Structure formats: structure tokens, C-alpha cells
Amino acid sequence: MLTFLANDQGKIEDLNAKIQTQTSSLKGNNNSLGILLENQREEVEKTSEVINITEMNLLTNSNLTANILSLSYKTKRSFKEIGEMIEAMSNRTNTSINKVGNMMEASFSQLQSSSEDIANTMEVLSNHTKTSNSDVKEVIKEQSNQTKTYLEDMMKDLLKDLKDELVAVIESRIGGGCVNNSLNVTTGACVDSCLRVEDGDYQSCDTCHGYVTCSHNYIFPRNCSETNHNLIWDDSIKRCETQSKTCNPSDFT
């Protein structure tokens, strides 16, 4: 009987030892879990900070793009005003400014394309930030600097080209004097630019259902009729008719 009791007492002591060992292990696991949760909380705070910085960078780049587009519009409008001032100085010119107009249109289109590329790049960066916070801050900073540098260089080149072209036009007009060198537009020939073209109505290069009016080197598109879409321009008689000897509508389909 005493032997059985002694054996039971030993088992109980062994069981208590195991329970204490497991209790100590659980305490250690709880401490490790607490450390892990604290680390995760810190990572979440860092990720939130990176997202806030990214949103600020996106807003900054968006404002930069808007300012550049506004500057491009103002530059284009100023160029038109300069053209009118030069027109007041002389009635005719022997220097073509078509190159400047084409350059302005191409530069404006390039700015619009660049704006779309910037928006797409910013969207990709934003999505990437939400999935991974590794080196995101440095990547966004580099992309922002590259974008800013690219746009600044583009605007510098554009303004330099405009300045050089305008100086050349002004020097040509002042130095060479005014020469009446109007282009001779034959009947039936379409007109897409009124530079050096006599004032009057001419065949359009875009449609038979309308024509263009040239006035002081500026072109103004006209419609034959707002209600009757069957009328077409006859350049031989300089008016819109149901039939034309100079323009075939099927050429524009």
C-alpha cells in the first residue's frame, strides 16, 4: 500500500514539473507574441506614413502638370498676340510662320501626352505602394525628380525655340521691309493656310460642304448651311450649290 502511494506521489510530482515547464513555455510564447504584435504595429505605422508621403507627391506632381499646361496655353495665346502686333507693323510678309505654328501644336500635343504618361506612372506607383513598402519612398522621390526635370527641360526648349523663331520673323520683317508677295490660289485648289493669301473665300481642304474665308492671313472655316447638308461649295462661282464642278464629296469619305 505504501509502495503504491509512493509511486503515485512520484507521478504527481512529475506531472507538476511538466505543468510548470509548459507554463513557463507559454509565458515565453506570450512574450514573443507581444513583441511580434508590437513589430507589426510599427510596420503598419511606417506603411501609413509612406502612403501619406506618396499621396502628397501625387498631389504635387498633379499641380506641376496643371501649371505647365496653363503656361503652355498662355504661351500660345501670347504668341498669337505677338503675331497680331507684327501684322500691324506690315501688311504682308515674305517669311513663313507656319513652322512656328506647327512647332506650337506639336509641343502642346507632346505636353498633353507627357501629362497622360505622368498620370499613368503615378497610378502605378500608388498601386505598388499599397502592396509593398520596400524602398517605395526612394522610388517615388526619384520618379518625381525625373518627371520634374523632364518637364522643365521641355518647357525651356519650347520657350527657346519660340523666342528664336519670333526674333527671326521680326528681324526679317524689319530688315527686309514689306513686300507684297501674295500666293496665287487657282480655282478649285483647296486652302488650309491663309498665310500670304489674298482675302476672300476658297475651297476647303477638309470638306465639300463648306469653305474657308481668308482675312488678313487668318483662316476661318465656314459651313454651307446649318440645315441643308446637301449643299456643296463650287469654287468656280464662289458659292454653295446642290452640285459642284470643283469639289467631289466622295473624296472625303
Side-chain angles (χ1 to χ4, degrees):
M1 184 66 179
L2 294 175
T3 301
F4 287 121
L5 291 175
N7 291 335
D8 290 340
Q9 183 65 30
K11 292 179 179 180
I12 292 171
E13 291 176 355
D14 291 339
L15 182 60
N16 287 332
K18 291 179 179 181
I19 291 173
Q20 291 178 356
T21 300
Q22 291 178 356
T23 301
S24 299
S25 177
L26 288 174
K27 290 180 179 180
N29 290 335
N30 286 335
N31 292 334
S32 298
L33 180 61
I35 294 173
L36 178 60
L37 291 175
E38 180 64 21
N39 291 337
Q40 289 181 347
R41 184 186 64 79
E42 293 177 357
E43 290 297 325
V44 169
E45 291 178 353
K46 291 179 179 179
T47 302
S48 178
E49 181 181 355
V50 170
I51 291 175
N52 291 334
I53 294 174
T54 301
E55 291 176 348
M56 292 177 63
N57 286 334
L58 290 175
L59 179 60
T60 301
N61 281 281
S62 176
N63 292 336
L64 176 61
T65 301
N67 290 336
I68 291 175
L69 290 177
S70 176
L71 177 60
S72 175
Y73 173 77
K74 292 179 179 178
T75 302
K76 187 175 182 180
R77 185 177 61 184
S78 298
F79 179 74
K80 180 179 179 182
E81 293 173 353
I82 293 172
E84 293 175 351
M85 179 185 67
I86 295 174
E87 183 60 28
M89 296 170 58
S90 82
N91 294 326
R92 291 291 183 269
T93 177
N94 58 356
T95 302
S96 174
I97 60 172
N98 277 336
K99 180 181 177 181
V100 179
N102 293 335
M103 181 181 64
M104 284 292 298
E105 292 295 335
S107 299
F108 187 70
S109 298
Q110 188 176 7
L111 285 173
Q112 288 180 322
S113 178
S114 298
S115 299
E116 295 175 356
D117 292 340
I118 292 170
N120 293 333
T121 300
M122 292 300 101
E123 182 178 359
V124 172
L125 288 174
S126 178
N127 293 333
H128 180 70
T129 302
K130 294 178 182 179
T131 57
S132 173
N133 64 351
S134 176
D135 297 331
V136 172
K137 184 176 180 179
E138 292 299 324
V139 171
I140 293 176
K141 182 178 179 180
E142 181 179 358
Q143 288 289 337
S144 298
N145 291 335
Q146 290 178 355
T147 300
K148 181 179 179 180
T149 301
Y150 172 75
L151 293 176
E152 288 177 347
D153 291 342
M154 181 187 298
M155 288 304 303
K156 288 179 181 178
D157 292 341
L158 173 61
L159 293 175
K160 181 179 182 300
D161 291 340
L162 287 175
K163 179 180 178 181
D164 293 342
E165 195 70 20
L166 288 174
V167 169
V169 171
I170 294 172
E171 289 178 350
S172 175
R173 292 194 174 194
I174 295 177
C178 299
V179 178
N180 190 348
N181 190 19
S182 299
L183 296 176
N184 182 21
V185 180
T186 59
T187 300
C190 70
V191 172
D192 58 4
S193 172
C194 286
L195 186 66
R196 296 168 52 205
V197 175
E198 291 287 348
D199 292 352
D201 297 329
Y202 299 96
Q203 179 70 55
S204 170
C205 293
D206 298 323
T207 180
C208 283
H209 297 287
Y211 57 98
V212 297
T213 298
C214 289
S215 177
H216 301 291
N217 290 334
Y218 289 97
I219 187 169
F220 300 93
R222 311 289 192 187
N223 291 326
C224 280
S225 175
E226 295 294 339
T227 57
N228 188 351
H229 301 291
N230 294 323
L231 294 179
I232 54 180
W233 175 258
D234 190 325
D235 201 49
S236 62
I237 58 177
K238 297 295 183 179
R239 65 171 179 263
C240 294
E241 298 289 342
T242 55
Q243 295 182 348
S244 173
K245 297 179 180 180
T246 61
C247 191
N248 186 0
S250 62
D251 293 339
F252 296 94
T253 58

